[in-house]
């Protein structure tokens, strides 16, 4: 005695498997959904976005008296650098730490989406923030401080701002990779932020010793501001700016390597 199998059963089973395979979303569709969700989240947290945008603009307005002495390129580059530090340290690292603590990354990893798409979506939002911040500084410099820049200067500065932003995004990745607790990440990023700003500004004004001035000049803060200042001036790019660009790329690679290697998708 035996059980007979219906002739149509295998074909029905195969059709079900094919439908299940067809229903798996493409990587591009998943990435688009992640991007929309991350931009929506960023919009809902627009108060923090406004604060990040306001800090460099406020510094720009308060430094109007320094333009005759140091030049418009120095003031603009300093304000953009401050905005880049705020975006990478205050924005990116805190957001990643908060979402990791809530288990968002852990849930996303079990979904049919590659890990690179998850992080690429977050980085795309931060790059958009960098472009918006740079544009706000340009507009503030033009309308409030009467700083005019050649069209080529605007284009080159946008590109250099992305390179400089990568330095601080990678540094933010190091912080969130080495520290698990979101509150500790927040306090650490604030400490590094204010240290960079205060020491960097004193160094650029020449208020430190010669040795410290050189250290600050070739620190991530100094290399970024050197690149930005050179890109703002037509024909201002020189060998020092090229060396600053190479140093910034090296900082990005080192920070990103450490941050990615040490990063954990959950806080437990």
């Amino acid at each position: 005695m035996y059980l007979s199998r219906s002739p149509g059963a295998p074909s029905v089973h195969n059709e079900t498997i094919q439908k299940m395979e067809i229903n798996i979303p493409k990587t591009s569709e998943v990435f688009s959904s992640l991007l929309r969700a991350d931009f929506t989240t960023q919009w809902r947290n627009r108060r923090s976005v406004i604060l990040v945008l306001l800090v460099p603009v406020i510094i720009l307005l308060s430094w109007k008296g320094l333009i005759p002495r140091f030049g418009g390129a120095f003031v603009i580059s300093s304000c953009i650098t401050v905005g880049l530090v705020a975006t990478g340290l205050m924005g990116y690292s805190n957001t990643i730490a908060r979402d990791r603590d809530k288990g968002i990354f852990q849930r996303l990893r079990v979904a049919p989406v590659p890990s690179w798409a998850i992080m690429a979506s977050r980085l795309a939002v931060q790059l958009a923030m960098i472009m918006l911040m740079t544009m706000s500084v340009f507009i503030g410099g033009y309308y409030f401080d009467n700083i005019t820049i050649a069209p080529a200067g605007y284009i080159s500065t946008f590109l250099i701002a992305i390179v400089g932003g990568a330095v601080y995004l990678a540094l933010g990745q190091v912080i969130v990779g080495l520290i698990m607790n979101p509150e500790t990440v927040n306090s650490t990023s604030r400490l590094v932020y204010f240290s960079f700003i205060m020491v960097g500004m004193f160094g650029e004004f020449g208020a430190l010793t010669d040795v410290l001035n050189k250290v600050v000049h070739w620190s991530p803060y100094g290399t970024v501001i050197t690149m930005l200042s050179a890109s703002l001036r037509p024909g201002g790019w020189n060998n020092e700016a090229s060396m600053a660009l190479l140093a910034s790329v090296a900082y990005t690679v080192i920070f990103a390597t450490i941050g990615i290697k040490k990063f954990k998708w959950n806080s437990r």
Side-chain angles (χ1 to χ4, degrees):
M1 183 175 181
Y2 62 93
L3 297 175
S4 60
R5 180 179 296 177
S6 174
S11 61
V12 172
H13 181 66
N14 292 335
E15 289 178 0
T16 304
I17 294 177
Q18 291 178 357
K19 289 181 180 179
M20 291 176 62
E21 293 176 350
I22 294 174
N23 289 333
I24 296 177
K26 297 180 180 179
T27 303
S28 58
E29 296 176 353
V30 175
F31 181 73
S32 299
S33 299
L34 284 173
L35 202 60
R36 288 194 298 270
D38 288 336
F39 272 110
T40 301
T41 302
Q42 192 77 5
W43 172 251
R44 290 175 180 174
N45 296 329
R46 52 186 175 273
R47 290 184 179 179
S48 61
V49 173
I50 293 174
L51 290 176
V52 171
L53 296 177
L54 280 180
V55 170
V57 175
I58 292 174
I59 295 177
L60 176 68
L61 298 178
S62 62
W63 282 12
K64 187 174 183 179
L66 298 178
I67 296 176
R69 181 179 177 183
F70 294 98
F74 173 81
V75 174
I76 291 289
S77 60
S78 298
C79 294
I80 293 177
T81 302
V82 171
L84 294 177
V85 178
T87 302
L89 297 182
M90 305 297 290
Y92 177 74
S93 61
N94 290 331
T95 301
I96 295 297
R98 183 189 65 230
D99 290 348
R100 180 176 60 186
D101 186 64
K102 292 180 178 179
I104 293 177
F105 287 132
Q106 193 65 21
R107 292 194 294 270
L108 287 174
R109 291 201 73 196
V110 300
V113 52
S115 300
W116 67 263
I118 299 173
M119 302 308 296
S121 176
R122 300 300 178 98
L123 292 174
V125 173
Q126 298 304 318
L127 288 176
M129 283 291 300
I130 290 172
M131 302 300 288
L132 183 60
M133 180 273 301
T134 305
M135 180 66 71
S136 64
V137 172
F138 283 152
I139 295 175
Y142 180 81
Y143 284 102
F144 297 106
D145 293 344
N146 298 320
I147 300 175
T148 57
I149 302 171
Y154 286 114
I155 297 174
S156 59
T157 303
F158 268 117
L159 298 177
I160 294 300
I162 293 176
V163 177
V167 175
Y168 293 109
L169 289 174
L171 181 57
Q173 184 68 35
V174 170
I175 295 175
V176 79
L178 296 176
I179 302 173
M180 301 300 297
N181 188 283
E183 295 181 359
T184 308
V185 169
N186 186 22
S187 59
T188 303
S189 60
R190 289 177 183 275
L191 176 62
V192 176
Y193 171 75
F194 286 111
S195 298
F196 266 57
I197 298 304
M198 298 304 296
V199 178
M201 287 183 177
F202 280 121
E204 290 300 321
F205 288 139
L208 304 176
T209 63
D210 293 338
V211 176
L212 288 178
N213 283 334
K214 290 182 180 180
V215 171
V216 171
H217 184 71
W218 292 106
S219 68
Y221 184 92
T223 56
V224 171
I225 198 173
T226 299
M227 292 188 304
L228 290 170
S229 182
S231 64
L232 285 165
R233 298 190 302 266
W237 194 269
N238 50 24
N239 183 61
E240 185 180 17
S242 299
M243 294 299 295
L245 175 60
L246 292 177
S248 298
V249 173
Y251 281 132
T252 303
V253 173
I254 294 172
F255 292 155
T257 301
I258 298 174
I260 294 173
K261 184 178 181 180
K262 297 294 184 179
F263 182 75
K264 295 182 180 178
W265 293 93
N266 57 71
S267 58
R268 297 171 179 83

